[in-house]
């Protein structure tokens, strides 16, 4: 049974939570493979709204949620989420990889201190300790969930690592912030609470594949925040592309054959860094207000811009996206003209790829095609052909340019505001050719 993998194709916040919830219906296991509680997934079930940061969203459907080895876990936040779900009568069925790394108090302190030190050049991180935790993992100074079950090893590691972190924090002007005894006691307590969930999840997932179970992998953040292929250094610290799913779970990459790219009908990003199609006008305000574009994790306003095909070419190529799921189409309703960036102009050259260099990106001017808008997307829409003609022209252009069929369109937060499509590619042309400016 192939694994369905859900990937964000832009700068995160594409609406993955809703799509994961949709695909979870048929899944036995829903797995997170990277990131941590920097993510924020909102799922609306009828009038109930759930906001999850670290727990895989599939648990709301009663599925087994797996937190893979590639995830970094703040145990305090995870326990809080488990308790909140339990209070709402959802007893999460959870498995946590014994190899996943733990976010420690010094990671959070260092994340904040490094950002302050960078000043105007700050990354705009979520300050959840994500980057420092992944740094420790790579430099082999990390603490893993398995260590919570071995108090002597945990104590030995903390005694070795904390004095070094103390010195690092002092360099940032933060002296004597860490109390080894308290951190040890807190993490032992977290270990007790989480011990029943900690398991060799790579073995469990591989067994599930053999038993023909249905697996769904849930990406966090988006391709443009990938530490290698995003807008480095304005990225997160994990691999958000499809390749990250194999590494972050311990499954064979050949099982990743159904890759759903989540695509917001326009573009947003939180934090600093290049955003070539960013809008600073009334249209940007329209997208922000109508799309409720405020971060789920930090409540920061998201920067908004037109849809960017250069980004989508990059992200769908990197992850081998086989299906597109378009989200938040309703947010574009009411705009007279809608633009799609097809290429960038860079130093008199027209380019169709995403440059590596921040300075080059800042010098890129988007080249747009203009589309006619639509005035209404009634909630009675049940199939692709019910969409207004101009909306279909817009979406057809995207799927034809990428040669990837749209399989899902979401036009509101409710489960019912989703249509499944049986689109096939090639020459979908409704006679309204978009024009260049
Ligand atoms: P970090 O992941 O907290 O280190 O933040 C690095 C960058 O990724 C910042 O620009 C954040 O705003 C951004 N980021 C991290 N997580 C998310 C997310 O879930 N959605 C959107 N942006 C995110």
């Amino acid at each position: 049974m192939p694994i369905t993998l859900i990937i964000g194709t832009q700068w995160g916040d594409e609406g993955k939570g809703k799509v994961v919830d949709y695909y979870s219906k048929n899944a036995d296991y829903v797995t997170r493979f990277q990131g941590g509680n920097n993510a924020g997934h909102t799922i609306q079930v009828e009038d109930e709204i759930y906001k999850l940061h670290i727990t895989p969203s599939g648990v709301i459907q009663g599925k087994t949620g797996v937190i893979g080895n590639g995830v970094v876990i703040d145990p305090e936040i995870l326990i809080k989420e488990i308790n909140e779900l339990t209070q709402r009568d959802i007893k999460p069925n959870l498995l946590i990889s014994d190899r996943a790394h733990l976010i420690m108090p010094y990671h959070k302190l260092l994340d904040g201190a490094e950002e302050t030190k960078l000043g105007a050049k700050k990354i705009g991180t979520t300050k959840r300790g994500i980057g420092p935790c992944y740094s420790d993992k790579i430099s082999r100074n990390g603490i893993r969930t398995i260590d919570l079950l071995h108090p002597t090893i945990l104590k030995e590691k903390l005694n070795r690592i904390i004095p070094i972190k103390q010195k690092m924090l002092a360099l940032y002007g933060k002296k004597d912030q860490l109390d080894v005894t308290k951190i040890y006691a807190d993490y032992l307590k977290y270990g007790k609470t989480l011990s029943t969930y900690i398991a060799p999840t790579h073995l469990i997932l591989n067994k599930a594949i053999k038993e023909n179970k249905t697996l769904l992998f849930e990406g966090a953040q988006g391709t443009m925040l990938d530490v290698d292929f995003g807008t480095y250094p304005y990225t997160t610290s994990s691999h958000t592309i499809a390749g990250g799913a194999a590494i972050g779970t311990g499954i064979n990459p050949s099982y990743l054959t159904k890759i759903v790219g989540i695509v917001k009908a326009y573009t947003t990003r939180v934090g600093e860094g290049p955003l070539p199609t960013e809008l600073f006008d009334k249209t940007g305000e329209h997208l922000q207000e109508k799309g409720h574009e405020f971060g789920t994790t930090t409540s920061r306003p998201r920067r908004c811009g037109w849809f960017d095909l250069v980004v989508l070419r990059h992200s769908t190529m990197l992850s081998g996206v086989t299906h597109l799921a378009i989200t938040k189409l309703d947010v574009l309703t009411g705009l007279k003209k809608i633009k799609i960036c097809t290429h960038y102009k860079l130093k008199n050259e027209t380019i169709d790829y995403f440059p590596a260099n921040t300075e080059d990106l800042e010098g890129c001017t988007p080249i747009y095609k203009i589309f006619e808008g639509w005035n209404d997307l009634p909630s009675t829409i049940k199939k692709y052909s019910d969409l207004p003609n101009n909306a279909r022209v817009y979406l057809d252009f995207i799927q034809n340019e990428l040669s990837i069929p749209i399989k899902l369109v979401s036009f509101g937060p409710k489960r019912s505001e989703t249509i499944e499509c049986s689109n096939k590619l090639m020459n979908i042309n409704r006679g309204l050719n978009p024009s260049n400016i």
Side-chain angles (χ1 to χ4, degrees):
M1 180 74 74
I3 294 167
T4 302
L5 169 59
I6 311 274
I7 289 283
T9 59
Q10 293 149 315
W11 275 274
D13 307 315
E14 294 93 352
K16 290 183 289 294
K18 180 176 170 184
V19 180
V20 169
D21 178 60
Y22 181 86
Y23 278 98
S24 296
K25 277 184 300 198
N26 304 318
D28 299 302
Y29 293 84
V30 181
T31 302
R32 283 257 327 247
F33 57 86
Q34 46 72 230
N37 62 310
N38 49 349
H41 291 169
T42 307
I43 305 112
Q44 182 164 348
V45 183
E46 306 309 332
D47 291 329
E48 290 280 313
I49 295 177
Y50 300 89
K51 287 183 195 273
L52 297 175
H53 296 281
I54 181 74
T55 313
S57 355
V59 297
I60 292 172
Q61 303 247 24
K63 309 297 175 177
T64 302
V66 180
I67 300 182
N69 53 281
V71 176
V72 287
I73 301 171
D74 185 329
E76 190 184 357
I77 302 296
L78 177 58
I79 291 167
K80 198 164 159 252
E81 281 190 4
I82 294 172
N83 290 341
E84 279 169 10
L85 284 170
T86 310
Q87 275 161 21
R88 294 172 78 176
D89 287 335
I90 296 176
K91 186 144 182 42
N93 199 359
L94 202 60
L95 291 168
I96 303 168
S97 168
D98 48 8
R99 287 161 166 80
H101 280 248
L102 293 168
I103 297 177
M104 306 299 292
Y106 44 83
H107 292 140
K108 291 182 263 191
L109 289 168
L110 281 166
D111 199 351
E114 284 164 7
E115 283 285 273
T116 307
K117 183 84 183 157
L118 282 168
K121 287 205 173 291
K122 69 176 195 275
I123 308 294
T125 74
T126 57
K127 298 191 183 162
R128 299 299 188 262
I130 306 293
C133 183
Y134 276 116
S135 301
D136 273 354
K137 170 177 175 169
I138 301 303
S139 63
R140 291 153 298 179
N141 284 312
I143 296 189
R144 305 191 295 175
T145 55
I146 189 77
D147 298 328
L148 296 178
L149 309 182
H150 296 91
T152 319
I153 296 175
L154 178 65
K155 193 176 219 168
E156 182 275 316
K157 285 194 175 183
L158 291 177
N159 281 333
R160 177 172 59 82
I161 293 166
I162 288 182
I164 301 168
K165 301 297 175 189
Q166 198 88 269
K167 285 191 179 141
M168 288 171 75
L169 283 164
L171 287 175
Y172 289 111
K174 292 187 175 292
K175 283 198 175 148
D176 302 327
Q177 306 254 324
L178 304 170
D179 176 343
V180 186
T181 313
K182 180 171 179 343
I183 295 173
Y184 177 63
D186 286 347
Y187 276 68
L188 272 191
K189 202 168 72 196
Y190 301 146
K192 272 208 178 111
T193 311
L194 296 177
S195 61
T196 52
Y197 304 113
I198 298 172
T201 53
H202 61 297
L203 297 180
I204 296 168
L205 291 173
N206 275 288
K207 184 160 173 279
I209 293 170
K210 282 217 172 94
E211 289 169 351
N212 238 1
K213 295 274 196 293
T214 308
L215 273 62
L216 182 68
F217 284 5
E218 169 182 2
Q221 290 85 46
T223 303
M224 304 315 292
L225 293 170
D226 183 274
V227 67
D228 275 314
F229 290 103
T231 44
Y232 190 86
Y234 299 98
T235 60
T236 191
S237 302
S238 63
H239 291 292
T240 58
I241 60 176
I247 297 170
T249 56
I251 61 96
N252 172 337
S254 67
Y255 291 117
L256 301 172
T257 48
K258 185 174 177 193
I259 303 176
V260 182
I262 314 302
V263 185
K264 199 182 274 191
Y266 49 97
T267 307
T268 61
R269 99 169 277 177
V270 246
E272 311 304 317
L275 181 60
T277 62
E278 185 163 9
L279 289 164
F280 299 96
D281 57 7
K282 285 249 172 297
T283 310
E285 280 169 28
H286 167 107
L287 297 176
Q288 195 183 71
E289 275 162 32
K290 200 158 175 195
H292 308 291
E293 295 296 357
F294 295 90
T296 318
T297 303
T298 55
S299 303
R300 288 177 291 176
R302 295 179 188 141
R303 298 153 64 193
C304 298
W306 292 120
F307 189 88
D308 190 338
L309 262 180
V310 183
V311 165
L312 260 291
R313 267 185 220 112
H314 181 71
S315 56
T316 53
M317 172 190 73
L318 291 168
S319 286
V321 169
T322 55
H323 303 71
L324 301 175
I326 305 285
T327 60
K328 300 189 100 165
L329 186 67
D330 52 306
V331 176
L332 296 178
T333 302
L335 292 173
K336 273 205 161 57
K337 305 272 180 197
I338 303 174
K339 293 183 188 176
I340 290 182
C341 165
T342 59
H343 297 81
Y344 301 149
K345 193 117 200 143
L346 175 64
K347 297 180 192 141
N348 291 329
E349 209 189 317
T350 301
I351 60 169
D352 64 357
Y353 61 88
F354 205 81
N357 185 328
T358 304
E359 284 71 30
D360 278 349
L361 273 166
E362 275 159 4
C364 282
T365 314
I367 299 174
Y368 288 113
K369 278 184 183 288
I370 304 179
F371 295 77
E372 296 298 321
W374 54 90
N375 288 325
D376 198 18
L377 278 185
S379 55
T380 49
I381 289 174
K382 291 278 175 283
K383 51 188 190 304
Y384 196 74
S385 55
D386 293 341
L387 288 168
N389 194 56
N390 288 348
R392 278 179 289 143
V393 170
Y394 182 75
L395 297 178
D396 289 350
F397 181 75
I398 293 170
Q399 61 180 347
N400 276 338
E401 283 292 311
L402 297 171
S403 295
I404 305 169
I406 294 172
K407 288 293 179 187
L408 216 64
V409 179
S410 160
F411 56 99
K414 293 192 179 144
R415 277 182 177 170
S416 57
E417 290 164 319
T418 314
I419 44 176
E420 270 182 61
C421 320
S422 52
N423 288 337
K424 297 207 173 38
L425 287 180
M426 308 315 287
N427 299 329
I428 304 172
N429 186 347
R430 297 179 204 283
L432 290 173
N433 280 330
S435 56
N436 278 313
I437 19 172

